[in-house]
């Protein structure tokens, strides 16, 4: 056998060995890639993404697409070395250490469950933001999420109760309840105004010390009582980053005339009830996913603009979105051709 043939044979053997080894060796990384997009004005499995009942709605056109990031890997399904290498080569995906997505003290199931809760909360906040934008009143209530079995509230306050007052003072924020309880000394009593079903109650609970502060053992969150029903269907999508697009979709359905003018618009960003848009992760992958879905305009949280400018694909225009109102006005300016459209580049 010639030296050339022997060299090729050995090289081929080494490549084969490395390939087999790479396919067998798991590595603690996660591959992030462009995920599916959904038009908030459209349907999923023949059901509207946004369904509004009890209020007049209007026809829409074009698209207001939410974007997602798909991932491979995790504590219970680690990727192999070859998958990681392919990801490092592909400019449309990112390979990140596993702990950046899944904290060492949390399981993959816990992270996925948290994403589901965040999506539910995001939908409620998006509805609240849309109604605030349209000056439609609604009520905010404080709902009991859980009651610690070993704390004084157990057996007195129940999951699902609405806290309306503390020591006779009306409350509308969870922070107000917490501050009122912490203002007591451990062992002192606190009287809660509670709505349970159709019944209004006064329930007195003693406080106990926990981590140096008085507590009663109740976990709460703010929930909303809207004047009509808004149902959002996004399948298995999780996390809070679709908030802005949900809000815009709701606003579009509740106002006369198609907001988009038929344009293909995508975007991302968390939303607060006051309309503030927050930054999100995975912006490079979301930009690619948006462009692949046919979008030509991308609503970008101000906090993601610098990163987005480095990764924007050809044919996609970045529009800076700081609030729901500014995003709405930007779309109106794009459709009409009049007015300033805020840009990530200045």
């Amino acid at each position: 056998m010639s030296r050339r043939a022997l060299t090729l044979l050995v090289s081929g053997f080494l490549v084969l060995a490395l390939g087999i080894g790479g396919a067998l060796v798991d590595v603690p990384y996660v591959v992030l890639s462009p995920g599916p997009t959904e038009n908030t004005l459209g349907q999923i499995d023949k059901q509207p993404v946004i369904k509004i009942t009890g209020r007049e709605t209007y026809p829409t056109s074009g698209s207001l697409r939410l974007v997602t990031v798909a991932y491979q890997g995790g504590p219970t399904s680690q990727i192999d070395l070859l998958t990681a290498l392919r990801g490092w080569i592909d400019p449309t995906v990112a390979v990140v250490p596993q702990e950046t997505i899944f904290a060492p003290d949390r399981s993959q199931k816990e992270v996925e469950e948290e994403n589901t809760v965040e999506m539910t909360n995001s939908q409620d906040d998006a509805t609240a933001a849309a109604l605030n934008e349209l000056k439609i009143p609604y009520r905010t209530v404080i709902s009991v999420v859980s009651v610690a079995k070993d704390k004084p509230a157990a057996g007195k306050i129940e999951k699902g109760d609405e806290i309306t007052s503390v020591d006779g003072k009306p409350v509308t924020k969870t922070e107000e309840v917490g501050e009122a309880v912490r203002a007591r000394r451990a062992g002192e009593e606190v009287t809660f105004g509670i709505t349970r079903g159709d019944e209004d109650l006064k329930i007195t609970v003693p406080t106990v010390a926990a981590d140096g502060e008085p507590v009663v053992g109740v976990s709460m969150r703010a929930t909303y009582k809207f004047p009509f029903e808004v149902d959002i269907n996004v399948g298995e999508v999780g996390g809070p980053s679709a908030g802005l697009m949900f809000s815009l979709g709701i606003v579009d359905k509740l106002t006369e005339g198609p907001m988009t003018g038929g344009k293909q618009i995508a975007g991302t960003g968390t939303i607060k009830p006051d309309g503030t848009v927050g930054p999100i992760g995975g912006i490079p992958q979301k930009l690619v996913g948006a462009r692949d879905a046919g979008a030509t305009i991308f609503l970008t949280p101000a906090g993601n603009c610098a990163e987005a400018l480095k990764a924007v694909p050809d044919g996609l225009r970045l529009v800076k979105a700081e609030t729901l109102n500014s995003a709405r006005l930007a779309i109106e300016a794009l459709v009409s051709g009049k007015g300033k459209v805020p840009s990530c580049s200045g």
Side-chain angles (χ1 to χ4, degrees):
M1 181 181 295
S2 68
R3 178 174 297 180
R4 176 183 173 84
L6 180 60
T7 300
L8 289 174
L9 179 63
V10 172
S11 299
F13 176 78
L14 290 174
V15 170
L16 178 62
L18 286 172
I20 295 173
L24 295 176
V25 175
D26 290 338
V27 292
Y29 287 91
V30 174
V31 175
L32 306 178
S33 58
T37 72
E38 297 292 350
N39 181 12
T40 61
L41 304 177
Q43 295 185 337
I44 296 178
D45 297 329
K46 298 182 179 180
Q47 295 296 319
V49 174
I50 298 174
K51 181 180 179 182
I52 298 174
T53 307
R55 182 90 174 192
E56 184 177 7
T57 58
Y58 301 91
T60 62
S61 68
S63 66
L64 290 168
R65 288 191 173 275
L66 64 86
V67 288
T68 65
V69 175
Y71 74 87
Q72 289 178 275
T76 61
S77 56
Q78 287 193 332
I79 60 173
D80 58 53
L81 181 59
L82 287 181
T83 300
L85 290 173
R86 285 196 297 268
W88 275 311
I89 295 170
D90 189 341
T92 68
V93 306
V95 181
V96 299
Q98 182 175 286
E99 60 268 21
T100 63
I101 307 296
F102 305 98
D105 59 340
R106 295 159 66 209
S107 68
Q108 187 164 335
K109 182 179 179 181
E110 288 174 331
V111 171
E112 291 171 351
E113 288 175 347
E114 182 179 318
N115 284 339
T116 300
V117 171
E118 287 182 338
M119 171 57 80
T120 300
N121 293 341
S122 174
Q123 292 171 5
D124 289 343
D125 288 344
T127 303
L131 268 58
N132 283 334
E133 174 69 13
L134 298 175
K135 305 296 190 293
I136 299 173
Y138 62 91
R139 289 195 305 118
T140 302
V141 299
I142 301 168
S143 296
V144 175
V145 177
S146 63
V147 181
K149 295 179 180 180
D150 60 344
K151 295 295 188 292
K156 296 184 177 182
I157 296 177
E158 300 177 1
K159 179 180 178 180
D161 284 351
E162 294 178 7
I163 300 175
T164 58
S165 66
V166 180
D167 291 330
K169 182 179 179 180
V171 290
T172 58
K173 299 179 180 179
T174 57
E175 295 85 356
E176 294 173 342
V177 178
E179 289 171 2
V181 172
R182 288 191 295 271
R184 297 290 186 178
R185 290 195 297 264
E188 291 185 330
E189 294 183 333
V190 181
T191 299
F192 296 92
I194 298 289
T195 297
R196 182 177 298 162
D198 297 328
E199 191 176 7
D200 292 325
L201 307 169
K202 297 290 184 184
I203 298 176
T204 300
V205 182
T207 61
V208 294
D211 297 326
E213 292 186 337
V215 301
V216 296
V218 169
S219 295
M220 312 159 287
R221 74 179 180 95
T223 57
Y224 310 104
K225 298 291 185 180
F226 299 122
F228 48 86
E229 191 171 349
V230 179
D231 291 319
I232 299 178
N233 164 42
V234 287
E236 297 182 357
V237 175
S241 65
L244 171 62
M245 303 313 290
F246 288 146
S247 290
L248 287 168
I250 295 167
V251 169
D252 195 2
K253 290 197 166 198
L254 290 175
T255 52
E256 291 188 66
M259 179 188 294
T260 70
K263 292 184 180 295
Q264 302 301 308
I265 300 172
T268 189
T270 63
I271 196 80
K272 292 183 178 179
D274 66 2
T276 302
V277 176
I280 50 75
I283 194 73
Q285 289 70 48
K286 290 179 177 179
L287 291 170
V288 173
R291 191 69 188 99
D292 288 347
T296 56
I297 298 162
F298 193 90
L299 301 173
T300 312
N304 290 118
C305 271
E307 183 182 9
L309 284 169
K310 298 176 183 177
V312 59
D314 292 340
L316 192 63
R317 179 177 180 178
L318 300 181
V319 175
K320 181 166 64 175
E322 297 183 285
T323 66
L324 171 59
N325 182 256
S326 72
R328 183 185 179 191
L329 293 176
I331 293 172
E332 290 178 359
L334 286 164
V335 172
S336 68
K338 300 176 182 178
K340 183 179 180 180
V341 178
S343 168
C344 275
S345 58

